[in-house]
Amino acid sequence: MELVQHTDGTVEHRSVGSAGPPHGQDEGVTRQRADYPCVLPGDPTWIHEAGYVQDILTSLAAAAAVAHDYGDPEKYVLPHLPFQVAADTIGRIRSDMPPARHDAVFLMALPAFQLEALWQALGVLRRARDEDGDAAEVLDLVRDYTMHCFVPPRRVDDVVTDMERILAVLSLDIPAVHTVATALLLKGERGNDFRSARDDLFAAWRAAGVGP
């Protein structure tokens, strides 16, 4: 279930993509939960502008699948599945975001295995950016994409930064997240505590480079 909280106190229900089983545990973020509560900015710019990251992850998934078929499953560090899950997760979030509302917040339960896949993909992209020899093929693919698909060309570091921004929103774990999520789920009072927590969320997102 997804909910949109507006300043007039109304809560809008929206459907989400189907959840899958937990796939493991990421860098301590999912805490072995089946679903991770994410409170997202009502303005979807943060995820729409990173749509090209989805394309890169999809390309990595396809390349890793081919490498596996040719007997080189570690050519792109990870097998194809984590890359594909990460790409599909970004795509699902992009499609499920409501029309832009700067004064709204958006709640979704993200399956832990999807969050883990995003962290795994980010780890590989960081290794490629840092010119880790084991991630050389990843670096070549991502660099070719960023050099030939953008004017002016982008850098691999830009891809990492945009991926980090996505995860800064999805994995934000401060008291304000729990206060706002609880209020939305229980349709609790939108009093000073709620407004203060929402302001804390906006401040945390701005610190991560999300929002005005």
Side-chain angles (χ1 to χ4, degrees):
M1 177 179 62
E2 295 173 343
L3 308 167
V4 178
Q5 166 65 31
H6 301 293
T7 53
D8 62 2
T10 60
V11 178
E12 184 177 358
H13 295 251
R14 293 176 180 270
S15 62
V16 297
S18 60
H23 186 267
Q25 184 177 11
D26 62 9
E27 301 173 6
V29 176
T30 60
R31 298 180 180 177
Q32 298 181 336
R33 296 173 181 170
D35 294 298
Y36 188 81
C38 301
V39 179
L40 311 179
D43 181 353
T45 303
W46 65 279
I47 192 71
H48 288 329
E49 288 184 347
Y52 79 96
V53 176
Q54 178 186 355
D55 295 336
I56 289 174
L57 294 173
T58 299
S59 297
L60 285 169
V66 171
H68 180 273
D69 290 344
Y70 280 87
D72 192 0
E74 298 181 356
K75 185 175 182 178
Y76 293 90
V77 184
L78 293 175
H80 79 282
L81 186 58
F83 288 126
Q84 192 61 61
V85 171
D88 291 346
T89 299
I90 292 176
R92 184 173 298 115
I93 295 170
R94 293 179 65 211
S95 66
D96 285 345
M97 288 296 290
R101 282 290 304 269
H102 296 282
D103 56 352
V105 292
F106 183 66
L107 176 65
M108 71 159 41
L110 187 68
F113 78 97
Q114 292 181 351
L115 191 59
E116 179 195 7
L118 288 167
W119 277 110
Q120 287 181 314
L122 174 59
V124 173
L125 291 172
R126 285 171 170 168
R127 291 174 63 180
R129 176 200 59 190
D130 297 339
E131 300 186 355
D132 182 327
D134 290 338
E137 295 292 340
V138 176
L139 176 61
D140 288 344
L141 187 153
V142 176
R143 187 158 51 194
D144 284 348
Y145 186 98
T146 55
M147 289 292 292
H148 296 105
C149 296
F150 295 99
V151 179
R154 295 190 181 184
R155 302 171 302 156
V156 176
D157 192 51
D158 295 328
V159 182
V160 173
T161 298
D162 285 338
M163 189 76 168
E164 288 174 338
R165 188 175 295 117
I166 291 172
L167 278 162
V169 174
L170 296 179
S171 61
L172 183 64
D173 189 11
I174 60 175
V177 172
H178 306 289
T179 299
V180 171
T182 299
L184 293 177
L185 287 171
L186 300 180
K187 301 182 180 181
E189 180 181 354
R190 301 337 184 223
N192 291 334
D193 288 345
F194 176 85
R195 287 188 290 271
S196 177
R198 190 178 57 183
D199 290 344
D200 288 344
L201 286 178
F202 290 144
W205 291 329
R206 285 194 297 271
V210 177

